């Protein structure tokens, strides 16, 4: 079974631009979560989607948004990029959004904002 | 408030040494799940183990073993006879049940370097 895939793997943007990252979950998984990883803040939860609905959101500004499609694929968007948005963005999928369900992670998208 | 602490930022050992990675968590809930993930240089987080709060049995998987102690709120991870391929960043994470969400709260990670 194929794992979680994320595209693109690397991105370079400039301040003020916007970016869209894509995540395809493991086949049969219906829940997708996004995390931001930076050297200073570590791994932080962004949001979680199930059945095209956002179930939970982390403590990030409104510039960070996401959505989930009917095939469970998910996208996250960051508008008006700031230097501090440079990070590794990880997507994880699980069978269901129930607490304690194991989340399987993709390889991440490395975003560099110049 | 929920929190996961991995006090060891970096550990360096020589191949074949045993090494223990510490994880201490804080939660007000009686039902929760704990996880360990491995992050090699490629960046992908690799799932290692999940343990629920009602199961305090230690677990062994090959060279890996985990010691869960609710009394000290710790979930430590031991690698026996370490190998160079074990070099990675290891994360401990907590998922709380009553929050009804899949959100994982991660520790800051421990970088393990195994030298040949």
């Amino acid at each position: 079974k194929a794992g979680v895939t994320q595209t693109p793997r690397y991105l370079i943007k400039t301040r003020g631009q916007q970016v869209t990252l894509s995540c395809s979950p493991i086949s049969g998984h219906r829940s997708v979560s996004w995390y931001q990883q930076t050297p200073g803040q570590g791994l932080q939860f962004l949001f979680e989607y199930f059945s095209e609905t956002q179930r939970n959101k982390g403590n990030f500004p409104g510039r960070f948004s996401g959505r989930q499609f009917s095939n469970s694929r998910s996208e996250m968007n960051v508008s008006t990029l700031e230097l501090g948005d440079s990070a590794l963005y990880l997507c994880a999928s699980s069978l269901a959004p129930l607490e304690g369900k194991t989340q399987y992670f993709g390889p991440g998208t490395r975003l560099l904002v110049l | 408030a929920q929190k996961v602490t991995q006090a060891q930022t970096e550990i360096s050992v020589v191949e074949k040494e045993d090494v223990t990675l510490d994880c201490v968590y804080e939660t007000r809930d009686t039902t929760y799940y704990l996880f360990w993930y491995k992050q090699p240089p490629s960046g992908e987080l690799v799932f290692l183990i999940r343990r629920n709060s009602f199961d305090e049995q230690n677990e062994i998987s090959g060279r890996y073993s985990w010691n869960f102690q609710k009394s000290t709120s710790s979930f430590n991870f031991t690698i026996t006879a370490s190998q160079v391929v074990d070099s990675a960043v290891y994360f401990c994470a907590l998922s709380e049940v009553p929050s009804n969400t899949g959100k994982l709260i991660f520790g800051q990670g421990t970088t393990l370097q195994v030298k040949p």
Side-chain angles (χ1 to χ4, degrees), chain B residues 6 8 11 18-23 35-38 48-49 59 61 63-68 74-80 86 89-92 112:
Chain B
Q6 295 179 253
Q8 304 151 307
I11 300 176
D18 298 348
V19 57
T20 295
L21 309 181
D22 298 333
C23 172
F35 301 80
W36 275 95
Y37 285 88
K38 172 182 180 180
L48 295 177
I49 190 171
E59 175 143 347
S61 176
R63 297 184 297 106
Y64 295 171
S65 63
W66 290 268
N67 184 341
F68 176 31
S74 65
F75 186 41
N76 297 336
F77 173 31
T78 297
I79 301 175
T80 303
D86 296 327
V89 183
Y90 291 85
F91 291 94
C92 180
L112 173 64

Side-chain angles (χ1 to χ4, degrees), chain A residues 4-5 22-34 48-53 67-76 91-97:
Chain A
V4 177
T5 57
S22 181
C23 171
S24 292
I26 293 171
S27 177
H29 285 194
R30 298 174 61 197
S31 176
V32 172
S33 297
W34 288 88
E48 176 190 16
Y49 287 89
F50 177 73
S51 291
E52 302 176 63
T53 302
R67 59 177 176 169
Q68 186 180 35
F69 302 94
S70 58
N71 62 358
S72 296
R73 191 177 69 85
S74 177
E75 288 181 349
M76 68 162 281
C91 167
S93 75
S94 60
L95 279 170

Side-chain angles (χ1 to χ4, degrees), chain B residues 21-108:
Chain B
L21 309 181
D22 298 333
C23 172
V24 174
Y25 61 92
E26 295 177 29
T27 177
R28 295 177 187 163
D29 300 318
T30 56
T31 306
Y32 50 88
Y33 289 82
L34 294 165
F35 301 80
W36 275 95
Y37 285 88
K38 172 182 180 180
Q39 187 175 43
S42 60
E44 180 175 346
L45 283 170
V46 178
F47 167 72
L48 295 177
I49 190 171
R50 180 185 76 162
R51 172 70 72 217
N52 73 54
S53 54
F54 295 109
D55 184 1
E56 285 195 72
Q57 276 191 323
N58 291 333
E59 175 143 347
I60 299 174
S61 176
R63 297 184 297 106
Y64 295 171
S65 63
W66 290 268
N67 184 341
F68 176 31
Q69 291 194 331
K70 287 180 74 171
S71 60
T72 56
S73 296
S74 65
F75 186 41
N76 297 336
F77 173 31
T78 297
I79 301 175
T80 303
S82 60
Q83 300 176 1
V84 173
V85 293
D86 296 327
S87 297
V89 183
Y90 291 85
F91 291 94
C92 180
L94 167 70
S95 175
E96 294 179 318
V97 170
S99 67
N100 196 30
T101 173
K103 172 184 175 182
L104 289 174
I105 300 155
F106 286 90
Q108 286 298 102

Side-chain angles (χ1 to χ4, degrees), chain A residues 4 6 21 23 33-37 43-44 46 76 88-92 105-109, chain B residues 39 43-45 106:
Chain A
V4 177
Q6 292 186 246
L21 313 181
C23 171
S33 297
W34 288 88
Y35 294 82
Q36 180 197 64
Q37 185 178 22
L43 277 156
Q44 294 186 288
L46 279 159
M76 68 162 281
L88 177 66
Y89 290 88
L90 291 161
C91 167
F105 286 79
T109 295
Chain B
Q39 187 175 43
E44 180 175 346
L45 283 170
F106 286 90

